[in-house]
Amino acid sequence: MMKKLIIAIFALVPLLVSAAGPKLPVDAANNDLADKESLKRGFKTYINYCLGCHQLQYQRYNRTFADLGISEEEGKAEYMYTGEKVGDHITNTMPAKEAAAWFGTAPPDLTLEARLRSPDWIYTYLRSFYIDESRPFGVNNTLFKDVGMPHVLQDLQGVSTIDENGKLLPAQGGTLTAEEYDEVVRDLTNFLEYVGEPNKLERKSLGYKVLIFIFIFFVISYFLKKEYWRDVH
Ligand code: HEC
């Protein structure tokens, strides 16, 4: 029995180690799910720069429009380019097999990415591309080594290099300043956190209401208890 227990414990050790893994530091996105304008900007950037490769196959257009306060007409005109219906999932037509050949890995669906990696991770990842001529697209990423994704926001950010310690240097040649670029990425991150759990805001506000209810109920039941026991003591 003891022996089995010891074996079981040791069998778990490698699991614990890999779960810890090497964790690279990430920057805080400080995104705000309650900021609908930010979510809309993020949605737009997503449609323009990401959807070509990454689907959001668990999210529908009309749900997104409703949550973000976009009317159907506006949604159709501004966010839907390829003749889908508003009830459709946010998908693309990239064939997964060919994509895997082009990039080494097929671009994953990003509906749940913010829950898998965290918003801060996404925020940092999109700001961590640097020039590396040895890679197929000429760029690498300090957070995601030898990544198969090109730096699709290069027009906006420009390109970074790294110093001898592997630290990123400021990007050069983009149309945006560093602060403006961070803002674009923050909005995009915000949108991806929303998509990962569209009910999050509602869940949190409901949570507070439930806690307040429990508190009030506690006070009432406390006095009720005193009342009941008064004659006994
Ligand atoms: C040209 C195709 C392409 C475009 C456009 C693109 N990506 Fe990617 N992306 C990829 C590929 C391929 C991978 C897989 C990389 C790997 O695993 O090496 C990837 C990986 C990722 C990952 C990491 C997934 C993981 O493994 O956890 C994130 C996050 C991501 N992309 C976000 C974005 C965002 C946000 C945009 C829009 C700004 C975008 N991508 C645009 C091709 C693309």
Side-chain angles (χ1 to χ4, degrees):
M1 177 65 199
M2 199 59 197
K3 219 167 149 189
K4 271 191 188 155
L5 195 70
I6 291 172
I7 292 173
I9 289 172
F10 274 94
L12 278 176
V13 168
L15 266 181
L16 296 175
V17 172
S18 69
K23 270 227 149 143
L24 292 169
V26 292
D27 303 331
N30 293 323
N31 57 309
D32 175 10
L33 279 179
D35 184 347
K36 295 239 162 97
E37 292 308 313
S38 156
L39 291 175
K40 280 193 218 171
R41 288 193 298 268
F43 185 22
K44 192 90 190 242
T45 308
Y46 191 90
I47 300 286
N48 287 330
Y49 288 95
C50 317
L51 181 58
C53 289
H54 296 283
Q55 310 199 109
L56 297 173
Q57 60 174 324
Y58 305 111
Q59 180 78 9
R60 291 178 197 275
Y61 283 100
N62 53 2
R63 165 86 207 237
T64 317
F65 295 160
D67 286 346
L68 271 47
I70 302 168
S71 70
E72 250 178 43
E73 296 73 56
E74 188 193 350
K76 273 189 204 153
E78 304 265 328
Y79 298 87
M80 300 175 71
Y81 299 143
T82 45
E84 307 91 335
K85 298 194 186 65
V86 288
D88 286 346
H89 289 109
I90 305 178
T91 55
N92 61 34
T93 50
M94 182 180 275
K97 233 180 160 173
E98 276 85 345
W102 296 332
F103 303 110
T105 330
D109 186 277
L110 294 185
T111 322
L112 298 172
E113 181 72 5
R115 293 172 72 172
L116 175 73
R117 298 280 200 179
S118 92
D120 291 351
W121 189 94
I122 296 174
Y123 178 69
T124 310
Y125 167 71
L126 293 171
R127 292 155 56 257
S128 299
F129 284 93
Y130 66 90
I131 294 179
D132 179 352
E133 298 301 344
S134 71
R135 298 294 305 154
F137 294 107
V139 287
N140 210 325
N141 192 291
T142 52
L143 190 60
F144 192 143
K145 193 172 175 307
D146 295 345
V147 69
M149 175 170 143
H151 183 13
V152 295
L153 298 175
Q154 188 163 325
D155 287 353
L156 307 179
Q157 188 195 19
V159 274
S160 290
T161 45
I162 49 169
D163 65 15
E164 62 277 8
N165 301 320
K167 213 173 127 352
L168 283 168
L169 301 169
Q172 305 276 327
T175 53
L176 301 181
T177 65
E179 291 75 32
E180 287 167 344
Y181 181 69
D182 286 356
E183 210 49 52
V184 167
V185 176
R186 179 172 299 115
D187 293 338
L188 192 51
T189 303
N190 206 17
F191 174 69
L192 283 174
E193 182 176 5
Y194 152 73
V195 166
E197 193 184 347
N199 286 336
K200 197 167 194 170
L201 272 183
E202 206 180 314
R203 172 165 68 73
K204 280 195 174 160
S205 82
L206 195 65
Y208 288 125
K209 284 180 198 149
V210 170
L211 286 180
I212 292 170
F213 170 77
I214 289 176
F215 177 74
I216 294 172
F217 193 72
F218 168 78
V219 174
I220 294 173
S221 44
Y222 174 75
F223 285 112
L224 204 60
K225 179 218 165 236
K226 274 185 101 169
E227 187 64 30
Y228 283 160
W229 284 81
R230 206 170 41 194
D231 303 333
V232 181
H233 290 302

Short mmCIF file of all heavy atoms in Angstrom, two decimals, residues 45-46 49-54 94 99 103 105-108 110 113 116-117 121-122 125-126 144 146-150 152-153 188 192, ligand 1:
data_model
loop_
_atom_site.label_atom_id
_atom_site.label_comp_id
_atom_site.label_asym_id
_atom_site.label_seq_id
_atom_site.Cartn_x
_atom_site.Cartn_y
_atom_site.Cartn_z
N THR A 45 -10.49 45.74 -35.81
CA THR A 45 -9.11 45.34 -36.08
C THR A 45 -9.05 43.83 -36.32
O THR A 45 -8.35 43.36 -37.21
CB THR A 45 -8.19 45.70 -34.89
OG1 THR A 45 -8.39 47.06 -34.57
CG2 THR A 45 -6.73 45.46 -35.23
N TYR A 46 -9.83 43.10 -35.54
CA TYR A 46 -9.84 41.64 -35.71
C TYR A 46 -10.30 41.26 -37.10
O TYR A 46 -9.67 40.45 -37.79
CB TYR A 46 -10.73 40.96 -34.65
CG TYR A 46 -10.51 39.47 -34.67
CD1 TYR A 46 -9.54 38.90 -33.87
CD2 TYR A 46 -11.20 38.65 -35.56
CE1 TYR A 46 -9.27 37.54 -33.93
CE2 TYR A 46 -10.94 37.30 -35.63
CZ TYR A 46 -9.97 36.75 -34.81
OH TYR A 46 -9.69 35.41 -34.89
N TYR A 49 -7.53 42.37 -39.70
CA TYR A 49 -6.16 41.85 -39.65
C TYR A 49 -6.04 40.39 -39.25
O TYR A 49 -4.99 39.80 -39.46
CB TYR A 49 -5.32 42.67 -38.67
CG TYR A 49 -4.99 44.06 -39.16
CD1 TYR A 49 -5.76 45.15 -38.81
CD2 TYR A 49 -3.87 44.28 -39.98
CE1 TYR A 49 -5.45 46.43 -39.24
CE2 TYR A 49 -3.56 45.54 -40.42
CZ TYR A 49 -4.35 46.62 -40.05
OH TYR A 49 -4.03 47.87 -40.48
N CYS A 50 -7.04 39.81 -38.62
CA CYS A 50 -6.86 38.47 -38.04
C CYS A 50 -7.77 37.41 -38.65
O CYS A 50 -7.38 36.25 -38.79
CB CYS A 50 -7.09 38.48 -36.53
SG CYS A 50 -6.35 39.88 -35.68
N LEU A 51 -9.00 37.80 -39.00
CA LEU A 51 -10.00 36.82 -39.40
C LEU A 51 -9.58 36.02 -40.64
O LEU A 51 -9.96 34.87 -40.79
CB LEU A 51 -11.35 37.51 -39.64
CG LEU A 51 -12.51 36.59 -40.04
CD1 LEU A 51 -12.75 35.53 -38.98
CD2 LEU A 51 -13.78 37.39 -40.28
N GLY A 52 -8.80 36.64 -41.50
CA GLY A 52 -8.32 35.93 -42.69
C GLY A 52 -7.67 34.59 -42.34
O GLY A 52 -7.77 33.63 -43.08
N CYS A 53 -7.01 34.54 -41.20
CA CYS A 53 -6.34 33.30 -40.79
C CYS A 53 -7.03 32.63 -39.59
O CYS A 53 -7.09 31.41 -39.54
CB CYS A 53 -4.89 33.58 -40.42
SG CYS A 53 -3.83 33.97 -41.82
N HIS A 54 -7.47 33.43 -38.62
CA HIS A 54 -8.01 32.84 -37.39
C HIS A 54 -9.53 32.98 -37.32
O HIS A 54 -10.05 34.08 -37.26
CB HIS A 54 -7.47 33.56 -36.15
CG HIS A 54 -6.00 33.43 -35.95
ND1 HIS A 54 -5.42 32.28 -35.45
CD2 HIS A 54 -4.98 34.30 -36.14
CE1 HIS A 54 -4.11 32.47 -35.34
NE2 HIS A 54 -3.82 33.68 -35.77
N MET A 94 -10.30 29.57 -45.01
CA MET A 94 -8.95 29.07 -45.20
C MET A 94 -8.92 27.56 -44.98
O MET A 94 -9.34 27.07 -43.93
CB MET A 94 -7.99 29.75 -44.22
CG MET A 94 -6.56 29.29 -44.42
SD MET A 94 -5.45 30.10 -43.27
CE MET A 94 -5.11 31.59 -44.15
N ALA A 99 -3.16 25.55 -44.98
CA ALA A 99 -2.63 26.53 -44.04
C ALA A 99 -1.48 25.93 -43.23
O ALA A 99 -0.47 26.58 -42.99
CB ALA A 99 -3.73 27.02 -43.10
N PHE A 103 2.22 27.69 -43.09
CA PHE A 103 2.76 28.32 -41.88
C PHE A 103 3.47 27.34 -40.94
O PHE A 103 3.97 27.74 -39.90
CB PHE A 103 1.62 28.99 -41.08
CG PHE A 103 0.87 30.01 -41.88
CD1 PHE A 103 -0.43 29.77 -42.29
CD2 PHE A 103 1.46 31.21 -42.24
CE1 PHE A 103 -1.13 30.70 -43.02
CE2 PHE A 103 0.77 32.14 -42.98
CZ PHE A 103 -0.54 31.90 -43.37
N THR A 105 2.06 25.40 -38.99
CA THR A 105 0.94 25.02 -38.13
C THR A 105 -0.29 25.75 -38.66
O THR A 105 -0.17 26.90 -39.07
CB THR A 105 1.11 25.56 -36.68
OG1 THR A 105 2.50 25.63 -36.39
CG2 THR A 105 0.38 24.72 -35.69
N ALA A 106 -1.45 25.11 -38.63
CA ALA A 106 -2.65 25.83 -39.04
C ALA A 106 -2.96 26.89 -37.98
O ALA A 106 -2.84 26.62 -36.80
CB ALA A 106 -3.81 24.86 -39.17
N PRO A 107 -3.35 28.10 -38.39
CA PRO A 107 -3.69 29.14 -37.40
C PRO A 107 -4.85 28.66 -36.53
O PRO A 107 -5.89 28.29 -37.06
CB PRO A 107 -4.12 30.34 -38.26
CG PRO A 107 -3.56 30.07 -39.61
CD PRO A 107 -3.50 28.58 -39.77
N PRO A 108 -4.68 28.62 -35.20
CA PRO A 108 -5.74 28.09 -34.35
C PRO A 108 -6.95 29.03 -34.26
O PRO A 108 -6.81 30.23 -34.48
CB PRO A 108 -5.06 27.96 -32.99
CG PRO A 108 -3.96 28.96 -33.00
CD PRO A 108 -3.51 29.05 -34.42
N LEU A 110 -9.45 31.35 -32.38
CA LEU A 110 -9.09 32.22 -31.25
C LEU A 110 -10.26 32.52 -30.31
O LEU A 110 -10.14 33.36 -29.43
CB LEU A 110 -8.47 33.53 -31.74
CG LEU A 110 -7.12 33.43 -32.45
CD1 LEU A 110 -6.58 34.83 -32.77
CD2 LEU A 110 -6.08 32.68 -31.61
N GLU A 113 -8.99 31.77 -26.95
CA GLU A 113 -7.56 32.04 -26.74
C GLU A 113 -7.28 32.83 -25.46
O GLU A 113 -6.33 32.55 -24.74
CB GLU A 113 -7.02 32.79 -27.97
CG GLU A 113 -5.54 33.14 -27.90
CD GLU A 113 -4.64 31.91 -28.06
OE1 GLU A 113 -5.14 30.80 -28.32
OE2 GLU A 113 -3.41 32.10 -27.92
N LEU A 116 -7.35 30.52 -22.66
CA LEU A 116 -6.23 29.57 -22.69
C LEU A 116 -4.94 30.24 -22.23
O LEU A 116 -4.21 29.71 -21.41
CB LEU A 116 -6.07 29.06 -24.13
CG LEU A 116 -4.89 28.15 -24.43
CD1 LEU A 116 -5.13 26.77 -23.83
CD2 LEU A 116 -4.68 28.02 -25.94
N ARG A 117 -4.66 31.42 -22.78
CA ARG A 117 -3.36 32.06 -22.54
C ARG A 117 -3.43 33.23 -21.56
O ARG A 117 -2.42 33.60 -21.00
CB ARG A 117 -2.83 32.62 -23.86
CG ARG A 117 -2.58 31.59 -24.94
CD ARG A 117 -1.28 30.90 -24.71
NE ARG A 117 -0.80 30.28 -25.94
CZ ARG A 117 0.35 29.62 -26.01
NH1 ARG A 117 1.12 29.51 -24.95
NH2 ARG A 117 0.72 29.08 -27.14
N TRP A 121 -1.23 37.84 -21.85
CA TRP A 121 -0.34 37.09 -22.74
C TRP A 121 -0.53 37.57 -24.18
O TRP A 121 0.44 37.84 -24.89
CB TRP A 121 -0.62 35.58 -22.62
CG TRP A 121 0.39 34.74 -23.34
CD1 TRP A 121 1.52 34.19 -22.81
CD2 TRP A 121 0.37 34.38 -24.74
NE1 TRP A 121 2.21 33.51 -23.79
CE2 TRP A 121 1.53 33.60 -24.98
CE3 TRP A 121 -0.49 34.62 -25.80
CZ2 TRP A 121 1.84 33.08 -26.23
CZ3 TRP A 121 -0.19 34.11 -27.05
CH2 TRP A 121 0.96 33.34 -27.26
N ILE A 122 -1.79 37.68 -24.61
CA ILE A 122 -2.08 38.11 -25.99
C ILE A 122 -1.53 39.53 -26.21
O ILE A 122 -0.90 39.82 -27.24
CB ILE A 122 -3.60 38.09 -26.26
CG1 ILE A 122 -4.13 36.67 -26.16
CG2 ILE A 122 -3.92 38.69 -27.63
CD1 ILE A 122 -5.64 36.57 -26.27
N TYR A 125 2.20 39.25 -26.49
CA TYR A 125 2.57 38.52 -27.70
C TYR A 125 2.56 39.42 -28.95
O TYR A 125 3.50 39.41 -29.75
CB TYR A 125 1.60 37.34 -27.87
CG TYR A 125 1.62 36.64 -29.21
CD1 TYR A 125 2.70 35.85 -29.59
CD2 TYR A 125 0.53 36.74 -30.08
CE1 TYR A 125 2.70 35.19 -30.81
CE2 TYR A 125 0.52 36.09 -31.29
CZ TYR A 125 1.61 35.32 -31.66
OH TYR A 125 1.60 34.67 -32.87
N LEU A 126 1.49 40.21 -29.08
CA LEU A 126 1.34 41.04 -30.28
C LEU A 126 2.31 42.23 -30.29
O LEU A 126 2.40 42.96 -31.26
CB LEU A 126 -0.10 41.54 -30.42
CG LEU A 126 -1.12 40.44 -30.72
CD1 LEU A 126 -2.54 40.97 -30.61
CD2 LEU A 126 -0.89 39.83 -32.10
N PHE A 144 6.86 33.86 -27.91
CA PHE A 144 6.49 32.61 -28.58
C PHE A 144 7.62 32.29 -29.55
O PHE A 144 7.61 32.72 -30.69
CB PHE A 144 5.17 32.80 -29.31
CG PHE A 144 4.51 31.55 -29.81
CD1 PHE A 144 3.12 31.44 -29.79
CD2 PHE A 144 5.23 30.49 -30.31
CE1 PHE A 144 2.47 30.30 -30.25
CE2 PHE A 144 4.62 29.34 -30.78
CZ PHE A 144 3.24 29.26 -30.75
N ASP A 146 10.08 30.95 -32.23
CA ASP A 146 9.92 30.35 -33.56
C ASP A 146 8.46 30.22 -33.96
O ASP A 146 8.00 29.19 -34.46
CB ASP A 146 10.60 28.97 -33.61
CG ASP A 146 12.11 29.10 -33.45
OD1 ASP A 146 12.62 30.24 -33.60
OD2 ASP A 146 12.78 28.09 -33.18
N VAL A 147 7.72 31.26 -33.74
CA VAL A 147 6.30 31.27 -34.05
C VAL A 147 6.08 31.17 -35.57
O VAL A 147 6.91 31.65 -36.35
CB VAL A 147 5.64 32.56 -33.49
CG1 VAL A 147 6.11 33.80 -34.22
CG2 VAL A 147 4.13 32.46 -33.48
N GLY A 148 4.99 30.52 -35.98
CA GLY A 148 4.71 30.36 -37.40
C GLY A 148 3.93 31.52 -37.99
O GLY A 148 3.64 31.54 -39.18
N MET A 149 3.57 32.50 -37.15
CA MET A 149 2.73 33.60 -37.62
C MET A 149 3.59 34.78 -38.08
O MET A 149 4.52 35.15 -37.40
CB MET A 149 1.81 34.05 -36.47
CG MET A 149 0.98 35.27 -36.76
SD MET A 149 -0.26 35.52 -35.47
CE MET A 149 -0.27 37.31 -35.39
N PRO A 150 3.26 35.36 -39.25
CA PRO A 150 3.97 36.58 -39.64
C PRO A 150 3.55 37.75 -38.73
O PRO A 150 2.54 37.65 -38.04
CB PRO A 150 3.51 36.83 -41.09
CG PRO A 150 2.33 35.96 -41.32
CD PRO A 150 2.26 34.94 -40.23
N VAL A 152 1.62 40.44 -38.58
CA VAL A 152 0.59 41.01 -39.45
C VAL A 152 0.29 42.48 -39.15
O VAL A 152 -0.33 43.16 -39.95
CB VAL A 152 -0.72 40.20 -39.38
CG1 VAL A 152 -0.51 38.80 -39.92
CG2 VAL A 152 -1.27 40.14 -37.96
N LEU A 153 0.71 42.98 -38.00
CA LEU A 153 0.46 44.38 -37.66
C LEU A 153 1.72 45.24 -37.89
O LEU A 153 1.84 46.33 -37.34
CB LEU A 153 0.00 44.50 -36.20
CG LEU A 153 -1.31 43.78 -35.86
CD1 LEU A 153 -1.61 43.85 -34.39
CD2 LEU A 153 -2.46 44.36 -36.67
N LEU A 188 -7.79 45.16 -29.15
CA LEU A 188 -7.87 43.83 -29.74
C LEU A 188 -7.91 42.76 -28.64
O LEU A 188 -8.71 41.82 -28.69
CB LEU A 188 -6.65 43.64 -30.64
CG LEU A 188 -6.59 42.48 -31.60
CD1 LEU A 188 -7.84 42.41 -32.45
CD2 LEU A 188 -5.36 42.62 -32.51
N LEU A 192 -10.84 40.05 -27.65
CA LEU A 192 -10.63 38.61 -27.53
C LEU A 192 -11.01 38.10 -26.13
O LEU A 192 -11.45 36.97 -25.98
CB LEU A 192 -9.18 38.24 -27.87
CG LEU A 192 -8.87 38.25 -29.37
CD1 LEU A 192 -7.40 38.02 -29.63
CD2 LEU A 192 -9.70 37.19 -30.10
C1 HEC B 1 -1.31 35.06 -42.21
C2 HEC B 1 -2.04 34.29 -41.25
C3 HEC B 1 -2.23 34.90 -39.88
C4 HEC B 1 -2.80 36.10 -39.56
C5 HEC B 1 -3.37 37.14 -40.50
C6 HEC B 1 -2.81 36.18 -38.11
N1 HEC B 1 -2.25 35.06 -37.59
FE1 HEC B 1 -2.11 34.62 -35.60
N2 HEC B 1 -1.20 32.85 -36.06
C7 HEC B 1 -0.97 32.37 -37.33
C8 HEC B 1 -0.34 31.07 -37.23
C9 HEC B 1 0.07 30.22 -38.41
C10 HEC B 1 -0.22 30.79 -35.87
C11 HEC B 1 0.37 29.53 -35.24
C12 HEC B 1 1.78 29.82 -34.88
C13 HEC B 1 2.51 28.63 -34.30
O1 HEC B 1 1.88 27.80 -33.63
O2 HEC B 1 3.72 28.57 -34.52
C14 HEC B 1 -0.75 31.94 -35.15
C15 HEC B 1 -0.79 32.05 -33.78
C16 HEC B 1 -1.43 33.04 -33.08
C17 HEC B 1 -1.57 33.11 -31.65
C18 HEC B 1 -1.02 32.10 -30.66
C19 HEC B 1 -1.89 30.89 -30.64
C20 HEC B 1 -1.43 29.90 -29.59
O3 HEC B 1 -0.72 28.98 -29.94
O4 HEC B 1 -1.82 30.08 -28.43
C21 HEC B 1 -2.29 34.24 -31.36
C22 HEC B 1 -2.71 34.75 -29.99
C23 HEC B 1 -2.56 34.89 -32.61
N3 HEC B 1 -2.03 34.14 -33.63
C24 HEC B 1 -3.25 36.08 -32.71
C25 HEC B 1 -3.45 36.74 -33.90
C26 HEC B 1 -4.10 38.01 -33.99
C27 HEC B 1 -4.69 38.79 -32.81
C28 HEC B 1 -4.11 38.37 -35.29
C29 HEC B 1 -4.61 39.65 -35.90
C30 HEC B 1 -3.91 40.84 -35.47
C31 HEC B 1 -3.48 37.29 -36.04
N4 HEC B 1 -3.08 36.32 -35.15
C32 HEC B 1 -3.32 37.26 -37.40
C33 HEC B 1 -1.30 33.01 -38.52
C34 HEC B 1 -1.88 34.24 -38.63
#
